[in-house]
Amino acid sequence: MTVDTNLYAFFSPDTVAVIGASATPGKVGHTIVSNMIEAGFKGKLFPVNPKGGEIQGLPVITDIADLPHGLDLGVISVPPQYVIPAIEALGERGAKSAIVITAGFKEAGKDGYLLEQEIIAMSEKYGIAILGPNCLGMMNSAHGVNASFAAGHPTPGSIAFFSQSGALCVAILDWALGANIGFSKFISLGNKAVLDEADMLDYLNKDEETKVILGYIENVEHGESFLKAARKTCLNKPVIMIKSGTTAAGAKAASSHTGAIAGSDQSYSAAFHQSGVIRVGDVASLFNLAQAFSSQPLPKGPNLAVVTNSGGPGILTADAADRSRLTMAALSQKTIQRLQKFLPSYAAFYNPVDIIGDADAKRYRQALDVVSEDPMVHSILVLLTPTASVEIEQTAEAVIRMARKCGKPVFACFMGKTRVAPARKLLMDAGIPCYAFPEPAVHSIEAMYSYYLWKNRPKPEYIEVNRDLEQAREVVREHMRRNQPEIVEFEAQQVLKAYGLPTPQTVLARSSDEAVAAAEEIGYPVVLKIASPDISHKSDVGGVKVNLWNATEVMKTFKSITAKAQRMRRDAYIAGCLVQEMAPPGVKEVIIGFKRDEEFGPMLMFGLGGIYVEIMKDISFKLAPLSRQDSFEIVREIKSYMLLKGLKGEKPVNFTALEEIIMVMSRLAIDLPEVWEAEFNPVLVNHERAIVADVRMTLHLKDK
Ligand code: ADP
Ligand code: MG
């Protein structure tokens, strides 16, 4: 839903009622009231309970109808059967928003599901923004709001966090308090009956207190609104998310957990990647990145400089950088000469700059000044191992000083724990992310650089596809009428034509004589393929023969193919054979396809064809519509991209031709919603052109 105006009242309420407030310590309805009080809430707080009396010094309201009109936020913690009446009563009093803490809805089975539908209906009827049900609540520390039953209050900060798991909220809150991490907003989404991640993104995008947005989600139900919100938000501030349920076991746990049916993982990866969301695999990375993004400017290029007092960790860092999108900066001649002036002769003057185990804070300071001034350096990582002579805290001071001066992103990796603890605190307090090991440091810098690239990427361009939509739709309609879900090659030829896709010259021959005539017309060699609406995997019935060089071969093959197919599929109607122009030797086979994802719509895929698809599973994915840039990327993202680029003096395939076909396929997927899956397999490509040599489509029939 989009209730932006209401969400201000939701996050920064002046009037809050706790429905189901309790005088008994330990009860949820008691904790919420005390949390609000302890958070320093400055507005009016109304405990509501039919029993009346007083709770924590506040007079209890016995009836929701007695609350002031236009209440900002109602926090509901009553048994499930009383939730709907409570929302209704709040609605009647013109309340703007509500949190349903109570569990026992969608996650609890059919009855709960139906009850949750009523929450949605109430929200629509009264225009109330509702968080939950089955959630921990929400906190906005800067505004003195802790409308949750969590233990502890986050300190104010610039990181917003939302989570579909309440348990994770509890754990993270506790951890963050220990790690001294502050939050701008802290939200437990629960079942997302009304408010979901898209609403959070829309609001947090505009929230001035929030610099970085973190999210943990198990599924996205409204793919389109998520993509829209994510795209917009990511242009403005970084969004870092974990999507769980990536493994089959995880997906199963997710569906029994919040009643969420996890979508396929590739579609999430594609959705995140295309909308600019930074996806991480674990909670540690979530916060590593959050700290980096919230405190340092983005690196404006890939070149990383490392200053270290030890060799091994320096090499580890260089290795990690090598595996990433970053490069170890090549320092300028001038920089190296300047370093040589004060570093011992046995130091390493090239990146990583090793200033040797006996380095004191002064040597660090001098080296950092020189390295950070090199214009080829985009980001700096300072490594320190706590040797006997190193001045740990003074070095931290030197790092802080340099970071303030140079305007480039600076990161520290002070290895170890006890001895470096005070220095780490100094650094963190000064806004310099400090890691215990090089790899997470490099990962953070890489993520920031990738985000920089994404933010500054050219505006997506989409091509116009000239097509005869009516002709394509007629093929689909015809199959719907026949209740035939598979559109096989010989019938899908019409669709290819309608979209102007490049195909080998193809003729349907109903007899062997027609086949010969067609072959003579096309020119040898030709390919013969079985043409039957009932046979979509032609090779399985021996229905494809390539490399036919003369009339006799064509004649013979026509007869043998049709006879064999009829033998193997007795019920199949055999229309004849396709006679097809044979692609020249040396072409490569690729597959271009799409499948329709439940949440995110059509998802295009690209990979090498033939054995590679099945054995290597070397496929890349993107959601439709694909821009020029997306198509450029999708063909380059597969591991076997090098094979297409050509080995040993081979010419590269015509990538532009492939990209065109992919963009047309993307258009087709959007044009024809009844087509559930489609694939061009193979598309045959060489350095000159690409042709669609086979096509198959699957329809989504209503009664299926
Ligand atoms: P299937 O229904 O079995 O997928 P295809 O039409 O894809 O049938 O043909 C099977 C294989 O035959 C293709 O993967 C490709 O290697 C080869 N082939 C098909 N058409 C041609 C063609 N026009 N030129 C060259 N090879 C082809
Ligand atoms: Mg095929």
Side-chain angles (χ1 to χ4, degrees):
M1 84 178 267
T2 32
V3 278
D4 199 351
T5 44
N6 278 3
L7 286 193
Y8 184 78
F10 171 78
F11 279 114
S12 305
D14 290 328
T15 46
V16 176
V18 180
I19 324 295
S22 166
T24 318
K27 288 211 158 176
V28 171
H30 185 272
T31 311
I32 299 168
V33 175
S34 54
N35 272 349
M36 284 300 292
I37 296 172
E38 282 169 25
F41 182 57
K42 298 270 180 336
K44 286 210 169 76
L45 185 61
F46 306 100
V48 180
N49 193 312
K51 287 183 204 141
E54 206 176 77
I55 292 175
Q56 297 178 62
L58 297 167
V60 172
I61 311 265
T62 53
D63 191 341
I64 293 175
D66 296 335
L67 286 169
H69 195 270
L71 184 85
D72 285 332
L73 174 65
V75 188
I76 302 173
S77 171
V78 294
Q81 67 271 29
Y82 300 125
V83 167
I84 306 298
I87 299 176
E88 189 156 31
L90 284 172
E92 290 297 328
R93 294 300 292 151
K96 294 179 188 130
S97 66
I99 299 176
V100 180
I101 303 279
T102 312
F105 291 85
K106 186 172 78 181
E107 82 284 5
K110 183 149 180 270
D111 291 347
Y113 170 82
L114 293 175
L115 213 50
E116 189 158 320
Q117 293 302 112
E118 284 187 55
I119 295 185
I120 300 170
M122 285 294 152
S123 160
E124 273 162 18
K125 179 170 173 196
Y126 293 105
I128 306 185
I130 297 177
L131 182 71
N134 183 25
C135 74
L136 190 75
M138 174 276 293
M139 306 169 211
N140 175 4
S141 16
H143 198 78
V145 175
N146 185 344
S148 84
F149 66 98
H153 307 276
T155 47
S158 58
I159 298 170
F161 176 72
F162 60 78
S163 166
Q164 199 170 338
S165 156
L168 192 69
C169 284
V170 176
I172 282 185
L173 187 59
D174 189 54
W175 175 82
L177 284 170
N180 207 16
I181 290 176
F183 291 97
S184 57
K185 307 282 182 292
F186 199 92
I187 308 133
S188 161
L189 292 173
N191 291 6
K192 309 192 290 190
V194 179
L195 291 176
D196 64 11
E197 53 284 325
D199 301 299
M200 296 304 127
L201 291 175
D202 277 337
Y203 183 81
L204 296 169
N205 182 19
K206 283 175 264 172
D207 180 32
E208 280 172 12
E209 284 154 14
T210 299
K211 270 202 207 162
V212 179
I213 302 168
L214 307 185
Y216 164 87
I217 55 162
E218 289 163 3
N219 74 330
V220 166
E221 266 168 60
H222 308 286
E224 210 169 307
S225 57
F226 171 78
L227 288 172
K228 213 170 131 213
R231 249 180 230 130
K232 212 164 136 199
T233 309
C234 292
L235 285 174
N236 194 24
K237 48 183 92 168
V239 178
I240 307 164
M241 282 174 58
I242 300 188
K243 151 77 177 76
S244 70
T246 52
T247 59
K252 228 171 150 205
S255 52
S256 51
H257 183 196
T258 333
I261 313 290
S264 86
D265 195 55
Q266 288 105 351
S267 58
Y268 280 95
S269 286
F272 284 10
H273 181 73
Q274 283 173 259
S275 56
V277 172
I278 300 153
R279 182 178 188 175
V280 293
D282 54 83
V283 181
S285 311
L286 196 65
F287 284 91
N288 280 339
L289 294 198
Q291 279 173 327
F293 275 101
S294 64
S295 58
Q296 290 298 306
L298 296 176
K300 295 199 171 65
N303 301 342
L304 169 70
V306 177
V307 176
T308 175
N309 68 341
S310 55
I315 297 168
L316 279 179
T317 310
D319 284 350
D322 200 48
R323 288 190 300 267
S324 76
R325 293 177 89 158
L326 302 174
T327 32
M328 292 296 283
L331 300 177
S332 74
Q333 216 40 51
K334 190 175 147 211
T335 301
I336 292 164
Q337 279 160 7
R338 285 178 70 193
L339 288 170
Q340 279 165 337
K341 284 204 186 110
F342 60 87
L343 288 180
S345 59
Y346 47 93
F349 306 101
Y350 302 91
N351 196 11
V353 178
D354 185 351
I355 62 173
I356 309 297
D358 63 355
D360 55 8
K362 179 168 171 237
R363 199 189 289 166
Y364 260 110
R365 191 171 62 236
Q366 286 176 310
L368 290 175
D369 278 346
V370 171
V371 169
S372 64
E373 277 165 21
D374 190 317
M376 283 313 286
V377 169
H378 301 121
S379 60
I380 301 134
L381 176 60
V382 188
L383 286 182
L384 176 144
T385 29
T387 56
S389 59
V390 73
E391 299 165 323
I392 306 177
E393 278 100 294
Q394 289 95 312
T395 302
E397 302 284 6
V399 176
I400 295 166
R401 205 183 118 261
M402 181 261 300
R404 294 217 170 108
K405 221 165 54 172
C406 78
K408 294 175 185 177
V410 174
F411 306 81
C413 172
F414 281 27
M415 296 181 65
K417 190 152 181 95
T418 2
R419 289 193 56 212
V420 297
R424 173 169 302 151
K425 183 165 184 335
L426 280 177
L427 288 163
M428 297 293 248
D429 287 350
I432 294 170
C434 182
Y435 304 85
F437 301 104
E439 293 83 1
V442 170
H443 179 224
S444 298
I445 306 169
E446 180 190 22
M448 289 180 80
Y449 174 56
S450 296
Y451 179 61
Y452 170 82
L453 288 179
W454 186 85
K455 240 179 129 166
N456 292 289
R457 77 202 194 292
K459 209 170 170 298
E461 272 175 61
Y462 297 90
I463 60 161
E464 284 281 339
V465 177
N466 286 321
R467 61 210 189 273
D468 184 343
L469 203 46
E470 214 16 65
Q471 189 185 343
R473 284 200 177 128
E474 185 44 40
V475 177
V476 171
R477 274 198 298 264
E478 172 62 22
H479 279 74
M480 305 285 265
R481 273 198 291 273
R482 296 194 328 228
N483 207 26
Q484 191 151 31
E486 295 275 350
I487 308 184
V488 303
E489 181 183 6
F490 93 90
E491 293 180 295
Q493 289 282 329
Q494 286 305 317
V495 181
L496 300 185
K497 281 211 188 78
Y499 279 85
L501 283 158
T503 49
Q505 206 185 331
T506 307
V507 174
L508 173 63
R510 291 170 196 281
S511 65
S512 53
D513 288 340
E514 274 184 37
V516 172
E520 306 272 315
E521 168 85 33
I522 291 167
Y524 295 105
V526 294
V527 181
L528 245 56
K529 298 181 181 180
I530 192 72
S532 161
D534 305 313
I535 298 173
S536 90
H537 292 269
K538 302 177 290 290
S539 302
D540 290 358
V541 298
V544 179
K545 289 280 178 279
V546 300
N547 231 5
L548 306 174
W549 279 96
N550 54 52
T552 329
E553 276 184 358
V554 169
M555 177 87 61
K556 235 173 61 195
T557 307
F558 183 95
K559 287 177 183 155
S560 65
I561 282 187
T562 45
K564 185 166 182 202
Q566 195 70 79
R567 219 169 40 242
M568 289 180 73
R569 301 281 164 85
R570 299 219 170 268
D571 301 333
Y573 164 71
I574 310 281
C577 279
L578 288 183
V579 184
Q580 196 166 72
E581 176 189 351
M582 169 105 188
V587 291
K588 289 181 173 144
E589 301 201 6
V590 300
I591 168 168
I592 295 172
F594 77 81
K595 64 172 205 175
R596 217 167 274 279
D597 181 79
E598 301 271 355
E599 283 93 16
F600 298 107
M603 183 168 67
L604 274 282
M605 63 178 216
F606 174 80
L608 284 198
I611 52 163
Y612 295 102
V613 177
E614 274 140 52
I615 299 172
M616 317 276 288
K617 299 213 167 27
D618 186 14
I619 296 170
S620 54
F621 297 93
K622 295 225 183 269
L623 297 175
L626 271 75
S627 65
R628 272 187 193 284
Q629 294 88 334
D630 291 332
S631 319
F632 182 90
E633 282 177 20
I634 197 174
V635 296
R636 284 163 182 80
E637 277 167 4
I638 57 167
K639 294 186 210 91
S640 20
Y641 164 61
M642 290 309 284
L643 288 179
L644 297 177
K645 242 184 103 181
L647 304 168
K648 296 193 199 131
E650 235 182 349
K651 285 187 183 154
V653 303
N654 186 339
F655 283 104
T656 316
L658 288 179
E659 290 160 31
E660 292 268 333
I661 296 175
I662 289 168
M663 285 185 280
V664 173
M665 179 75 128
S666 158
R667 184 70 251 172
L668 185 153
I670 293 165
D671 283 346
L672 306 174
E674 302 87 353
V675 179
W676 206 244
E677 279 179 38
E679 76 179 21
F680 301 157
N681 181 22
V683 172
L684 300 174
V685 62
N686 61 13
H687 62 282
E688 280 170 337
R689 62 181 198 140
I691 51 169
V692 179
D694 184 24
V695 45
R696 145 162 70 240
M697 298 177 169
T698 310
L699 299 177
H700 190 62
L701 295 182
K702 282 190 196 77
D703 56 351
K704 272 201 87 186

Coordinates of all heavy atoms in Angstrom, one line a residue, residues 467-474 498-499 671-672:
R467 N 6.7 -5.1 -34.4 CA 6.1 -6.4 -34.4 C 4.7 -6.4 -34.8 O 4.0 -5.4 -34.7 CB 6.2 -7.0 -33.0 CG 5.4 -6.2 -31.9 CD 6.1 -6.3 -30.6 NE 5.3 -5.7 -29.5 CZ 5.3 -4.5 -29.2 NH1 6.0 -3.6 -29.8 NH2 4.5 -4.0 -28.2
D468 N 4.3 -7.6 -35.3 CA 2.9 -7.8 -35.6 C 2.2 -8.5 -34.5 O 2.2 -9.8 -34.5 CB 2.8 -8.6 -37.0 CG 1.4 -8.7 -37.5 OD1 0.4 -8.5 -36.6 OD2 1.2 -9.0 -38.6
L469 N 1.7 -7.8 -33.5 CA 1.2 -8.4 -32.3 C 0.0 -9.3 -32.6 O -0.1 -10.3 -32.0 CB 0.9 -7.2 -31.3 CG 0.8 -7.6 -29.9 CD1 2.0 -8.4 -29.4 CD2 0.7 -6.3 -29.0
E470 N -0.8 -8.8 -33.5 CA -2.0 -9.6 -33.8 C -1.7 -11.0 -34.3 O -2.2 -12.0 -33.9 CB -2.8 -8.8 -34.9 CG -4.3 -8.9 -34.8 CD -4.9 -9.5 -33.4 OE1 -4.8 -8.8 -32.4 OE2 -5.5 -10.6 -33.5
Q471 N -0.7 -11.1 -35.2 CA -0.3 -12.4 -35.7 C 0.2 -13.3 -34.6 O -0.1 -14.5 -34.5 CB 0.8 -12.1 -36.8 CG 1.2 -13.4 -37.5 CD 2.4 -13.1 -38.5 OE1 2.8 -12.0 -38.8 NE2 3.0 -14.2 -38.9
A472 N 1.0 -12.7 -33.7 CA 1.6 -13.5 -32.6 C 0.4 -14.0 -31.7 O 0.4 -15.1 -31.2 CB 2.6 -12.7 -31.8
R473 N -0.5 -13.0 -31.4 CA -1.6 -13.4 -30.5 C -2.5 -14.5 -31.0 O -3.0 -15.3 -30.3 CB -2.4 -12.1 -30.2 CG -1.7 -11.2 -29.2 CD -2.7 -10.3 -28.5 NE -2.0 -9.5 -27.5 CZ -2.0 -8.1 -27.5 NH1 -2.7 -7.4 -28.3 NH2 -1.3 -7.5 -26.5
E474 N -2.6 -14.4 -32.4 CA -3.5 -15.4 -33.0 C -2.9 -16.8 -32.8 O -3.7 -17.8 -32.5 CB -3.6 -15.1 -34.5 CG -4.6 -16.0 -35.3 CD -5.9 -16.2 -34.5 OE1 -6.4 -15.3 -33.9 OE2 -6.4 -17.4 -34.6
A498 N 6.4 -12.8 -36.7 CA 5.7 -11.6 -36.2 C 6.7 -10.6 -35.5 O 6.5 -9.4 -35.5 CB 4.6 -12.0 -35.2
Y499 N 7.7 -11.2 -34.8 CA 8.6 -10.3 -34.1 C 9.9 -10.0 -34.9 O 10.8 -9.4 -34.4 CB 9.0 -11.0 -32.8 CG 8.0 -10.7 -31.7 CD1 6.9 -11.5 -31.6 CD2 8.1 -9.6 -30.9 CE1 5.9 -11.3 -30.7 CE2 7.1 -9.4 -30.0 CZ 6.0 -10.2 -29.9 OH 5.0 -9.9 -28.9
D671 N 4.6 -8.8 -23.9 CA 3.4 -8.8 -24.8 C 2.4 -9.9 -24.6 O 1.2 -9.8 -24.8 CB 3.9 -8.9 -26.3 CG 4.5 -7.6 -26.8 OD1 4.3 -6.5 -26.1 OD2 5.1 -7.6 -27.9
L672 N 3.0 -11.1 -24.3 CA 2.1 -12.3 -24.4 C 2.1 -13.0 -23.0 O 2.8 -13.9 -22.7 CB 2.7 -13.3 -25.4 CG 2.9 -12.8 -26.8 CD1 3.6 -13.9 -27.7 CD2 1.6 -12.4 -27.5

